[in-house]
Every structure is written in structure tokens, then in C-alpha cells.
Amino acid sequence: MPTPIIELIGVTKRFGSFVANEAIDLSIDAGSIHAIVGENGAGKSTLMKTLAGLHTPEEGRILLRGEEVALRNPETAMRHGIGMVHQHFSLIDSLTVAENVVLSSPPQRGGVFLKRDAERQVRELAEKYGLAVDPRRRIVECRVGVQQRAEILKALYRNPEVLILDEPTAVLTPQEASMLMKNLRTLRDRGKTIIFITHKLQEVMAIADRVTVMRAGRVVMETETAQTSPNALAVARVGHELFT
């Protein structure tokens, strides 16, 4: 079997006496869409923030392509090919889509920002991944779905292999959510590995190749999506049978 692109082995994260993640084992296949499911407080966002370099685990190991790494901060994680799109956007309203996307490494010559080059680069990136945006429009003028695409492009601009999305459809309309699902499939088909955190089981069944269920800071289930059902995922998520 091929080596997973990401392996977490016995990862534990504490905040004081509170154990947010306890001895987590997780395997992510390259070029797949992997859903992380759980109730609020299950520890899924904490785990992904650890993978993105925002938290440092007290115990355990993180392997990328079979080699152990220390992801001490988001910049280190990005250098290793891991980017994260957070539920709450970090865009600057007064800047354009293009200016936000290239902010980490803007095209310039002699210290002068090359605005047209930035707009061209963002337009080409958006076309490649099917993320429709107007590079010249200011963020404050964009609806939420477009702002999210700008956030995704901002991460993709740095060419990560793995893209983590935290509850990406929470602020979207049903039409925008459907478009995002299409975008994620395009990203996977273009070779990206997608990890997305959600509590919406219909999204998991519609798009994920594999799914991991967390409860109370632990992994309680990991399976191929084709081999499970919404009811089985729901039972694993809450820890008991559901009655109607």
C-alpha cells in the first residue's frame, strides 16, 4: 500500500487540565477528500489546528510522507505543504481579491507592487481550480461565498499539497455550498489532498472518500465513506443509538 501523505500517531493536546485530543491516530491518503466529523467540542478543530502548526501537541508524532516533522507554526506547516482555511475569514476588507490572495508574497519590481501581475496570477489560479472571482473587486463588495473562494485561493497561492477547511459550508447558502463541493472535487482531481471538518453528514456522504468520527477528544471511527451510512456516522458521533 502507498504511504499516506499524513499520519498522526498518538497525538495528544492539552489545555491545562483539559485534554482536547487524546492519543489520536489518523491516516490521510494523498489525493483524497477526508472528512473529520464530530459534535461541537469533539476536538476536531483542535486536531486540525495542530496539523496546521497553530498548536503544539504534548505527545505523539506527525509524519508527512513517512517522515516525522515538527510543525511549530503555520509557516512551517505551509513549507511542508499544509494550508488551512479557517471558518472565520482573515481577509482585509479594503483590499481587492487579488491583493488579499498575493499578500504573503506579492509580485513586485524594485519594491513596487505589480498590480496587473497579481490580478493575472489570481485569475489564472481561479480558472485552474474553478473558483470564480473577480480579482479587481474589493472584499467588502463580495458576498460570503466569493470571500470564501478568495480565502481558498489565498491558501492555494502558496501551492500546498494538503488543504484543510474548517466547517466550510457553515456560512454558505445551499447553492454556494453545492458550488463549494464541486470546487473541492476539482481540487482533488488536480492532485490536492482535502481535509474538511463538518457536522453535516449529507456532505460527508456526497463528497468524502474517507471519514473519521471524533467524540470527546478521541477518534471513535475511521472508514471508507462507501462502507458506512449516515445513521452509523450519527451513532458514532453521539455514542448511542438514535431514537425517533
Side-chain angles (χ1 to χ4, degrees):
M1 293 180 62
T3 301
I5 192 168
I6 292 173
E7 286 183 276
L8 306 184
I9 303 172
V11 168
T12 296
K13 177 60 187 174
R14 303 184 185 91
F15 297 97
S17 60
F18 175 69
V19 181
N21 295 145
E22 184 171 359
I24 299 290
D25 292 337
L26 178 64
S27 177
I28 307 291
D29 293 332
S32 69
I33 297 178
H34 195 122
I36 308 292
V37 175
E39 299 283 277
N40 290 337
K44 53 192 187 296
S45 290
T46 297
L47 185 65
M48 290 301 102
K49 288 179 179 178
T50 298
L51 188 55
L54 289 159
H55 296 319
T56 301
E58 281 75 28
E59 299 171 19
R61 303 160 62 209
I62 300 175
L63 278 63
L64 295 182
R65 305 165 204 88
E67 296 186 6
E68 187 169 353
V69 294
L71 305 175
R72 296 184 176 87
N73 52 57
E75 186 62 33
T76 301
M78 183 58 78
R79 285 200 299 270
H80 282 289
I82 301 172
M84 185 169 182
V85 177
H86 298 275
Q87 185 175 354
H88 301 291
F89 305 151
S90 59
L91 302 168
I92 301 174
D93 285 347
S94 60
L95 299 183
T96 66
V97 169
E99 288 166 344
N100 271 279
V101 169
V102 306
L103 195 59
S104 63
S105 182
Q108 53 187 306
R109 183 181 299 117
V112 177
F113 174 56
L114 301 177
K115 184 176 181 180
R116 289 186 179 179
D117 283 5
E119 291 172 354
R120 175 184 53 77
Q121 290 174 11
V122 172
R123 188 176 295 108
E124 290 173 353
L125 192 65
E127 290 175 355
K128 179 179 180 179
Y129 294 111
L131 294 159
V133 296
D134 180 350
R136 298 167 297 180
R137 186 174 292 274
R138 295 189 183 279
I139 289 296
V140 71
E141 301 169 343
C142 298
R143 64 183 187 273
V144 172
V146 176
Q147 291 182 18
Q148 185 181 68
R149 286 176 219 150
E151 278 281 10
I152 295 172
L153 287 167
K154 184 177 172 182
L156 290 173
Y157 180 70
R158 304 189 68 182
N159 197 30
E161 291 184 72
V162 178
L163 189 63
I164 303 167
L165 297 100
D166 189 359
E167 297 283 2
T169 63
V171 295
L172 302 183
T173 66
Q175 184 177 4
E176 289 171 334
S178 178
M179 179 58 69
L180 176 64
M181 296 296 106
K182 182 179 179 180
N183 295 148
L184 296 184
R185 291 188 187 97
T186 299
L187 287 166
R188 177 192 58 192
D189 294 345
R190 295 289 181 122
K192 302 297 183 184
T193 301
I194 308 297
I195 306 173
F196 80 103
I197 303 167
T198 185
H199 63 276
K200 299 178 180 179
L201 299 183
Q202 68 272 24
E203 294 176 357
V204 175
M205 300 305 298
I207 195 171
D209 299 302
R210 287 185 65 83
V211 55
T212 294
V213 182
M214 295 185 65
R215 187 174 70 246
R218 296 185 177 188
V219 169
V220 295
M221 181 182 188
E222 185 175 333
T223 182
E224 299 285 337
T225 308
Q227 297 177 0
T228 189
S229 67
N231 184 68
L233 294 175
V235 170
R237 186 172 64 179
V238 299
H240 56 76
E241 291 291 337
L242 302 178
F243 301 97
T244 58

